[in-house]
Amino acid sequence: MITVLSGGGGGVKFLKGLAQCMDPTQIVAVVNTGDDFILHGLYISPDVDSTLYSLSDQINPETGWGQKDESWRVMGALEKLEGETWFKLGDRDLATHLYRTQRLFLGEDLAKVTSQIAKAFKVKVNILPMTCDRVSTFLQVDLDSFDSSQCKSDCLSFQEYFVKYKCNPKVTSISFETSCNPMPTHGIIEALDRSEAIIIGPSNPFLSIDPILSIKAIREKLVSYREKVIAISPIVDGKSLKGPLSKLLIELGKKSDVVSIARHLSSVASVFVIDSSDSSFRKELTDLNLAVATTNTVMDTETDKVAVAKFVMTKVLAQIGK
Ligand code: FO1
């Protein structure tokens, strides 16, 4: 069994490759829900949905989110009503949010609803939302750094920061808000115990992985299993391929390079997979008590995804004696 910690984007690409090079029923994906929010009264879980859609070949390849062959009639009608259309929900995608919201309303938890959607989409990987409790990512931002005339507060929800303000605000800090002591979804701790390796996918460590690690029981398990935790770098040649990671690193006072990412994850991971273009940082990474494996980590095509997964499952697992 292999457990992968993932957000949307790079983590999902890695999972797609992994599902093609091992028995997918032996993969557990622990997915970030810090981006979840309620809009139009609907519960939306973007990273869970990107994982479901990608593993069932339904993802929109152009955007990397939402479903392929989508239509936008509801958004068009909503625009006419001058409703909120900054977060685009396609007609087919809306069915997922309607279904999830209704099941949650009837008392089922997020994990159960996710497994029902996975079954309908014929996804064999076990997708577990990191928690069924609410944990929400918030970003403290500098209001002078962007057009904030419509902005009511300097504390933005993840989707306001990411989609509404297009990652333009300068971030000063990130927090994970919850009203309880969030518990890992049932099955996560057992999966971490039983897994040959735990892989931190190439997702944004601050926005996608940290929310998962904010759940005390998960972080503690990773620290105790550090020897079998492998992190894949989301940085290639000193930059993030997509998304605000590079900009965020600078805003948080760090350098945009693999060393900053490694430093951030070195308490929970012992092996770091980096792109060949960053191999000159090997010495700095080994000084952080990390074993380093180098390959091409860019996953543009299905072949690339499988190649990265195969590299991790053969060379890297051998490196940790599995
Ligand atoms: N991202 C955007 O940049 N613009 C959107 O309008 C948008 C809509 C959307 C709808 C459903 C969904 O599951 C994801 C959506 N995303 C959109 C992506 C989402 O904001 C991010 O991918 C994740 O939250 C970050 O991993």
Side-chain angles (χ1 to χ4, degrees), residues 14-82:
F14 175 74
L15 270 169
K16 184 83 197 298
L18 189 62
Q20 292 171 73
C21 69
M22 68 178 277
D23 175 359
T25 64
Q26 293 304 303
I27 304 173
V28 174
V30 177
V31 179
N32 170 40
T33 58
D35 303 3
D36 293 13
F37 74 131
I38 291 172
L39 187 65
H40 316 301
L42 299 174
Y43 186 97
I44 300 167
S45 192
D47 286 355
V48 167
D49 289 347
S50 295
T51 312
L52 285 162
Y53 296 161
S54 180
L55 292 174
S56 57
D57 284 325
Q58 294 304 311
I59 195 104
N60 179 333
E62 272 111 56
T63 54
W65 51 266
Q67 295 196 35
K68 67 181 179 187
D69 306 324
E70 190 54 282
S71 56
W72 302 93
R73 292 175 65 91
V74 173
M75 280 296 110
L78 192 59
E79 203 166 344
K80 212 167 161 182
L81 293 169
E82 296 184 10

Side-chain angles (χ1 to χ4, degrees), residues 85-105:
T85 54
W86 59 271
F87 194 82
K88 306 270 178 268
L89 297 169
D91 300 336
R92 277 148 57 91
D93 188 32
L94 269 164
T96 305
H97 311 310
L98 289 170
Y99 178 84
R100 175 184 289 119
T101 306
Q102 176 67 359
R103 310 298 297 197
L104 292 174
F105 176 74

